[in-house]
């Protein structure tokens, strides 16, 4: 059995990263993972930490640890119970770990405790790994009900003296536990003079939510107050409680009975829990925010005071590279971002959590709608397929609006240069990774005497995630990736132009050394010849820009090409009901009576060695091309049908990360005749819990270029790419401040 793993545990450390507390995270060193499961409702993780004992985590958020759980359990229970004159029947909603029930039973007046938790997995797992908390769930005074708390409350009106809600944070289904209808159910389920206590979030993180909770509860209860406790493993080391009573004039801050056998709670702590810091009291009671203003908020206040104009940006597309770009753009509080996608849901999902951003639905094929949206903004970022860029630029020329894209300048885009100049707009292109970052460091280093310029870039799975037969995974369109492998290529070698057809491209792949840690192969990409002129290196004898892949990839793709699987032409015979083996047989034009298509694959592909034949045929079997499973044809052709299969087999799984490797190699001949080899290298890894390396290295440069255009750093109108120091240097300096610069060495 393989060792247990979990995406929130990396390099032996658990990380509690959540949008609920952006920019900060609790980390704990993990001795070992004890339990992992997906219950009907949530992800359940238990691990043994080095310093906090066993830890229960639900949906990536710490619920309790053996070391500090008593602080929370004691306070959420004893604040409402010790201030109630005679609590007999108590209901606990949530709290399946049993900690709150344990504390409730310390009150001699209590005759019955009902625990209602919707997830039996929490109760079951806690009995195994947190027995000191859950042991009293078997007490004769305790009844355990597995089910929906809302329904349970509705069916038990005027029943309980105290109700304690030990809920998770207000995300997903738990969000309803922080809304007024839920508090109305709590109110109605209480006996006269009854109390409630609910998890009330952190005053350091959620003060506006706490204010809303106070407002809602004060409309329902005679008394409503916020109290808090300290607990190291909860966000910001503090958590609060909404404590309410139906009894007018009830002093919730004063205990009326002594509680014994506690570790955190005592009478003085009870009273002190309701004494709030001044910034919290001012916000909750006076409606004044006296907290420090800094960062983006300070910049926004300064911009408002200076009367700085709001710049509006339209971002077309919601693909995987869009988010880092959007995040960069909205850093400036003077920017207002509109994200437009064909589906409103995709646009809104991308805009979620971004300040000053909204999502809209837009079909770029509708010219009038596109022109209207472009005209309503100051700048357009086009991250949609390159075939639409010319239409976007035409709309921008009409409205005199700037444009930024990450794509190569196509002939159709280049033809609009004079119109863009007349309109006075900047159309900045080729500012992603490749093209983009590669230009910045080529222009930085290139000077007189460049004899050879070699530039290779690859977007790959990190080595530990590259275990499939192709050593590759798809982070964008599988069709786009495979079709790019059929592009023809041209480059200069020893002053001679070499042209390679798309069908022969993989045969030109050669081993390429960057580091002993990697077994790369490289092949030329597109047309490198014009870059001798664009980079202003007329003396260069060799100019090649190409792609990096792991060893074994080109030979595998070459076999797929030879077998016909990269053919995008429609096939009348490709229908549902065929098996993969039958389609393979048809693809290589076998007669039906041939029983061993694998043998025929060898003759079609002409593998150089038996070992290579075994490797690639094994990989074809892994894809399923010899299987008896039925095919679901896509678009009536072999290429798209193969893509559908590979998208399932070769997607990034949870917890996996990608790698971007980019290297320039310059062979320089100095005036004295001596030669030197210079390199500029980027080795960037994605984060399993954050952005991919590809998204960062495409999206951030695009965002930087957008900001520089908005700020007027680039002033010359027309259709541009970063081929000059005037454009490259400002972008590169900001890119390096983001930690995305290349490392330069002399070999």
């Amino acid at each position: 059995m393989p060792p247990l793993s979990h995406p929130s545990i990396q390099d032996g450390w658990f990380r509690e990263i959540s949008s609920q507390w952006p920019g900060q995270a609790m980390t704990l060193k993990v001795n070992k993972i004890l339990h992992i499961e997906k219950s009907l409702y949530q992800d359940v993780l238990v691990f043994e930490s080095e310093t906090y004992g066993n830890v229960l985590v639900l949906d990536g958020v710490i619920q309790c640890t053996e070391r500090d759980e008593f602080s929370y359990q004691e306070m959420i229970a004893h604040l409402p119970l010790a201030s109630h004159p005679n609590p007999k029947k108590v209901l606990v909603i949530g709290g399946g770990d049993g900690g709150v029930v344990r504390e409730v039973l310390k009150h001699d007046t209590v005759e019955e405790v009902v625990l209602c938790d919707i997830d039996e997995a929490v109760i079951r797992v806690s009995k195994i790994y947190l027995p000191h908390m859950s042991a009293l769930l078997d007490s004769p005074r305790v009844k355990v009900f597995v089910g929906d708390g809302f329904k349970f409350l509705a069916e038990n009106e005027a029943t309980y003296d105290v109700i304690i809600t030990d809920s998770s944070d207000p995300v997903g289904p738990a969000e309803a536990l922080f809304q007024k209808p839920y508090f109305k159910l709590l109110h109605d389920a209480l006996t006269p003079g009854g109390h409630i206590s609910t998890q009330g979030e952190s005053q350091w993180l959620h003060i506006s939510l706490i204010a809303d909770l106070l407002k809602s509860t004060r409309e329902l209860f005679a008394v409503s107050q916020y109290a808090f406790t300290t607990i190291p493993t909860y966000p910001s080391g503090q958590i609060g409680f909404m404590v309410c009573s139906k009894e007018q004039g009830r002093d919730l801050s004063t205990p009326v009975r002594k509680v014994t056998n506690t570790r955190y709670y005592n009478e003085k702590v009870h009273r002190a829990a309701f004494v709030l810091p001044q910034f919290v009291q001012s916000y909750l009671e006076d409606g004044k925010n006296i907290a420090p203003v800094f960062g983006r908020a300070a910049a926004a206040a300064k911009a408002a005071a200076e009367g700085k104009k709001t710049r509006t940006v339209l971002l077309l597309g919601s693909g995987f590279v869009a988010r880092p770009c959007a995040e960069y753009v909205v850093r400036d509080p003077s920017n207002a971002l509109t994200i437009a996608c064909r589906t409103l849901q995709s646009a809104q999902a991308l805009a979620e959590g971004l300040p000053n951003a909204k999502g809209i639905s837009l079909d770029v094929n509708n010219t009038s709608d596109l022109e209207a949206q472009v005209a309503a903004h100051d700048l357009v970022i086009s991250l949609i397929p390159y075939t639409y860029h010319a239409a976007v630029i035409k709309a921008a020329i009409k409205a005199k609006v700037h444009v930024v894209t990450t794509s190569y300048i196509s002939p159709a885009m280049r033809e609009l240069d004079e119109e863009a100049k007349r309109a006075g707009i900047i159309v900045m292109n080729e500012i992603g990774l490749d093209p983009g970052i590669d230009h910045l460091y080529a222009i930085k280093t290139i000077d007189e005497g460049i004899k050879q310029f070699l530039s290779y870039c690859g977007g790959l799975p990190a080595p530990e995630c590259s275990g499939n037969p192709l050593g590759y995974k798809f982070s964008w369109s599988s069709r786009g990736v495979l079709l790019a492998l059929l592009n023809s290529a041209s480059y200069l070698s020893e002053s001679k132009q070499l042209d390679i057809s798309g069908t022969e491209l993989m045969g030109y792949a050669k081993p390429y050394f960057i580091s002993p840690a990697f077994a790369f192969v490289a092949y030329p990409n597109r047309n490198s010849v014009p870059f001798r002129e664009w980079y202003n290196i007329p003396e260069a004898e060799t100019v090649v820009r190409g792609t990096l892949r792991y060893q074994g990839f080109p030979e595998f793709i070459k076999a797929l090409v030879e077998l016909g699987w990269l053919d995008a032409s429609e096939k009348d015979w490709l229908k549902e009901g065929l098996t993969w083996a039958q389609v393979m047989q048809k693809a290589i034009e076998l007669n039906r009576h041939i029983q061993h298509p694998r043998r025929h694959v060898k003759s079609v592909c002409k593998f150089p060695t038996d070992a290579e034949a075994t490797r690639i045929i094994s990989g074809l079997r892994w894809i399923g091309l010899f299987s008896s499973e039925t095919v679901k044809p896509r678009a009536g052709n072999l290429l798209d049908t193969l893509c559908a299969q590979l998208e399932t087999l070769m997607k990034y799984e949870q917890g996996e990360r990608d790698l971007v490797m980019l290297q320039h190699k310059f062979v320089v001949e100095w005036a004295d005749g001596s030669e030197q080899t210079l390199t500029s290298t980027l080795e960037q890894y994605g984060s399993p819990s954050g952005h991919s390396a590809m998204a960062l290295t495409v999206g951030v440069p695009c965002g930087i270029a957008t900001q520089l255009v908005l700020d007027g750093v680039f002033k010359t109108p027309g259709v541009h790419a970063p081929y000059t120091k005037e454009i490259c240097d400002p972008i590169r300096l900001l890119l390096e401040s983001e930690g995305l610069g290349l490392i330069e060495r002399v070999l």
Side-chain angles (χ1 to χ4, degrees):
M1 180 179 175
L4 294 175
S5 63
H6 193 274
S8 64
I9 297 174
Q10 300 290 330
D11 300 322
W13 286 82
F14 167 81
R15 300 180 302 164
E16 188 185 54
I17 297 173
S18 172
S19 60
Q20 299 169 81
W21 35 89
Q24 67 183 67
M26 179 68 186
T27 63
L28 289 174
K29 191 171 184 181
V30 178
N31 286 342
K32 60 181 175 181
I33 299 174
L34 301 173
H35 182 82
I36 292 173
E37 74 170 273
K38 292 280 187 182
S39 77
L40 293 175
Y41 301 96
Q42 55 203 335
D43 177 86
V44 181
L45 164 68
V46 183
F47 65 87
E48 178 191 289
S49 75
E50 185 172 278
T51 51
Y52 279 81
N54 289 355
V55 181
L56 173 64
V57 179
L58 300 180
D59 284 338
V61 176
I62 294 172
Q63 302 301 303
C64 56
T65 82
E66 288 186 290
R67 178 177 175 181
D68 66 2
E69 55 82 16
F70 61 88
S71 165
Y72 174 80
Q73 319 292 347
E74 290 181 12
M75 294 297 280
I76 197 173
H78 300 321
L79 292 179
L81 285 162
S83 57
H84 190 288
N86 189 28
K88 294 182 178 181
K89 296 188 68 174
V90 178
L91 171 63
V92 178
I93 295 183
D97 52 54
V100 173
V101 170
R102 179 194 65 200
E103 297 304 316
V104 171
L105 291 173
K106 292 177 182 178
H107 292 260
D108 295 336
T109 61
V110 173
E111 299 171 354
E112 178 184 276
V113 187
V114 176
L115 172 73
C116 177
D117 195 306
I118 198 168
D119 196 345
E120 66 79 27
V122 176
I123 300 170
R124 169 172 43 82
V125 169
S126 298
K127 287 183 176 181
I128 300 170
Y129 299 105
L130 299 166
H132 74 291
M133 295 175 66
S134 59
L136 291 181
L137 292 179
D138 295 326
S139 166
R141 285 194 285 166
V142 177
K143 294 180 181 178
V144 176
F145 175 81
V146 176
D148 182 0
F150 279 80
K151 184 179 179 183
F152 190 89
L153 286 169
E155 294 173 350
N156 289 273
E157 291 189 4
T159 302
Y160 296 100
D161 301 310
V162 174
I163 303 175
I164 301 167
T165 304
D166 179 11
S167 69
S168 54
D169 298 294
V171 174
E175 186 175 4
L177 301 178
F178 292 77
Q179 295 171 350
K180 192 172 182 179
Y182 178 69
F183 286 99
K184 180 66 166 61
L185 285 171
L186 291 174
H187 177 277
D188 293 347
L190 287 173
T191 56
H195 291 186
I196 68 162
S197 175
T198 71
Q199 191 268 99
E201 295 300 322
S202 169
Q203 58 198 6
W204 291 101
L205 299 169
H206 309 113
I207 196 165
S208 61
L209 172 62
I210 295 167
D212 291 341
L213 290 173
L214 270 179
K215 181 177 182 297
S216 296
T217 53
R218 285 175 176 174
E219 292 171 356
L220 294 168
F221 292 88
V223 181
S224 176
Q225 291 181 262
Y226 179 78
F228 70 96
T229 189
T230 62
I231 178 166
T233 54
Y234 280 11
S236 296
Q238 179 272 332
I239 196 71
F241 315 103
M242 295 305 306
V243 188
C244 308
S245 175
K246 293 175 75 172
E247 182 70 22
Q248 189 68 44
R250 180 67 53 80
D251 183 3
L252 296 170
S253 65
T254 301
V256 295
R257 282 184 321 284
K258 187 175 181 64
V259 183
T260 59
N261 193 27
T262 59
R263 288 188 169 97
Y264 187 94
Y265 175 91
N266 59 42
E267 292 180 19
K268 291 181 179 180
V269 168
H270 184 126
R271 293 186 176 91
F274 292 87
V275 179
L276 303 179
Q278 189 58 45
F279 80 94
V280 181
Q281 183 176 316
S282 294
Y283 193 98
L284 298 182
E285 302 301 336
D286 305 325
K288 294 180 181 179
N289 187 353
I290 63 171
V293 179
F294 57 93
R296 190 182 188 281
K302 181 181 177 183
E306 295 173 350
K308 191 174 181 181
K309 177 181 176 288
T310 298
R311 287 85 59 90
T312 55
V313 178
L314 176 65
L315 192 160
L316 301 176
S318 60
F320 77 103
V321 303
R323 180 75 185 201
C325 177
E327 289 174 350
Y328 193 93
V329 170
V330 298
R331 287 187 196 177
D332 188 328
S334 300
N335 297 338
L337 180 65
T338 302
I339 298 169
C341 186
R342 185 174 56 83
T343 60
L344 179 61
Q345 185 178 7
S346 297
Q348 290 176 333
L350 182 58
E352 186 177 356
L354 294 177
N356 222 13
K358 65 178 181 180
I360 65 169
S361 173
L362 176 65
D363 183 355
V364 294
N365 291 299
N366 187 318
T367 302
S368 60
D369 287 354
L370 175 63
E371 290 180 347
Q373 286 298 332
V374 169
H377 293 81
D378 298 312
L379 182 146
V380 182
I381 304 170
S382 185
L383 296 179
I384 52 180
Y386 77 94
T387 51
Y388 291 100
H389 290 336
V392 172
I393 295 170
K394 288 176 183 177
I397 289 170
K398 185 176 180 179
K400 298 185 177 180
V401 169
H402 301 304
V403 180
V404 176
T405 85
T406 59
S407 300
Y408 285 104
I409 299 175
S410 67
M413 295 161 69
R414 201 177 297 278
E415 287 174 5
L416 298 170
D417 181 48
E418 287 302 322
E419 291 184 54
K421 289 175 180 175
R422 287 194 293 271
I425 69 167
I426 294 167
V427 181
M428 185 63 65
N429 307 279
E430 302 189 23
I431 190 57
L433 167 64
D434 174 14
I437 295 177
D438 56 346
H439 295 329
L440 306 182
Y441 282 85
I443 297 302
K444 178 188 178 186
T445 305
I446 282 173
D447 206 337
E448 292 183 6
I450 297 295
K451 193 171 182 181
Q452 297 180 37
F453 172 69
L454 300 91
S455 176
Y456 290 100
C457 182
L460 298 156
E464 73 273 14
C465 306
S466 62
N468 66 55
L470 282 85
Y472 191 81
K473 295 200 172 187
F474 296 109
S475 57
W476 62 291
S477 165
S478 59
R479 193 177 204 274
V481 170
L482 294 179
L483 281 178
L485 300 171
L486 296 177
N487 288 335
S488 59
S490 299
Y491 65 99
L492 295 171
S493 177
E494 298 178 350
S495 299
K496 295 179 181 178
Q497 179 171 329
L498 299 180
D499 301 310
I500 306 167
S501 69
T503 55
E504 297 175 325
L505 184 62
M506 291 299 99
Y508 280 77
K510 297 290 187 293
Y512 192 80
F513 179 84
I514 291 179
S515 160
F518 299 95
F520 288 130
V521 292
Y523 52 88
N525 180 28
R526 297 177 180 257
N527 188 359
S528 303
V529 176
F531 283 90
R532 181 161 67 175
E533 175 189 346
W534 292 339
Y535 285 170
N536 193 26
I537 46 174
E539 71 280 9
E541 298 171 359
T542 297
V543 177
V544 58
R545 300 172 78 252
T547 300
L548 293 172
R549 291 290 182 260
Y550 290 130
Q551 180 180 323
F553 177 89
E555 294 83 358
F556 203 106
I557 295 298
K558 183 172 180 288
L560 289 174
V561 171
E562 291 171 339
L563 293 168
W565 280 101
L566 268 60
D567 184 354
S569 63
E570 191 169 344
K571 302 285 187 264
D572 292 338
W573 53 265
L574 186 54
K575 305 291 184 184
E576 289 195 16
L578 293 173
T579 66
W580 282 100
Q582 289 170 329
V583 173
M584 170 68 101
Q585 193 167 311
K586 282 273 193 180
I588 57 180
E589 297 178 348
L590 287 174
N591 295 321
R592 292 183 179 276
H593 65 274
I594 294 178
Q595 298 298 314
H596 301 288
R598 289 171 212 167
R599 295 177 186 171
H600 200 72
V601 167
K602 287 187 177 182
S603 63
V604 171
C605 297
K606 299 181 175 61
F607 300 114
T609 66
D610 287 342
E612 188 71 347
T614 299
R615 180 182 74 84
I616 292 177
I617 290 174
S618 175
L620 297 175
R621 188 183 303 112
W622 175 81
I623 294 173
L625 300 185
F626 303 122
S627 81
S628 58
E629 292 184 14
T630 55
V631 172
K632 293 181 179 178
R634 180 192 283 182
N637 66 69
L638 291 169
L639 171 65
D640 286 292
T641 301
L642 176 64
C643 286
Q645 183 79 340
L646 295 182
E647 285 164 7
T648 300
L649 293 170
M650 296 170 60
K651 66 179 185 293
Y652 280 92
E653 301 292 346
Q654 189 177 36
E656 293 187 331
R657 60 179 185 157
D658 68 329
L659 161 69
V660 163
M661 181 67 77
L662 165 64
Q663 187 184 77
H664 293 325
K665 188 176 288 183
F666 310 87
V667 178
V668 184
E669 185 177 293
W670 302 112
D672 62 2
S674 64
E675 282 192 3
Q676 263 189 331
T677 299
L678 316 177
T679 63
S680 301
T681 307
L682 173 68
E683 182 179 334
Q684 182 73 30
Y685 290 90
S687 167
S689 58
H691 294 309
S692 69
M694 184 61 71
L696 275 177
T697 53
V698 174
V700 172
C702 182
I704 290 171
T706 297
Q707 190 64 52
L708 292 173
V709 172
L710 289 171
D711 290 343
V713 174
F714 304 135
K715 295 179 169 56
T716 306
V719 177
H720 297 286
Y723 298 158
T724 65
K725 288 184 180 294
E726 291 73 21
I727 294 175
C728 290
D729 287 355
I731 299 175
R732 179 177 49 77
L733 290 173
L734 287 172
L735 189 73
E736 289 172 351
S737 72
E738 298 295 317
L740 293 174
L742 273 63
I743 295 173
E744 297 167 295
R745 289 195 175 97
V746 178
L747 301 185

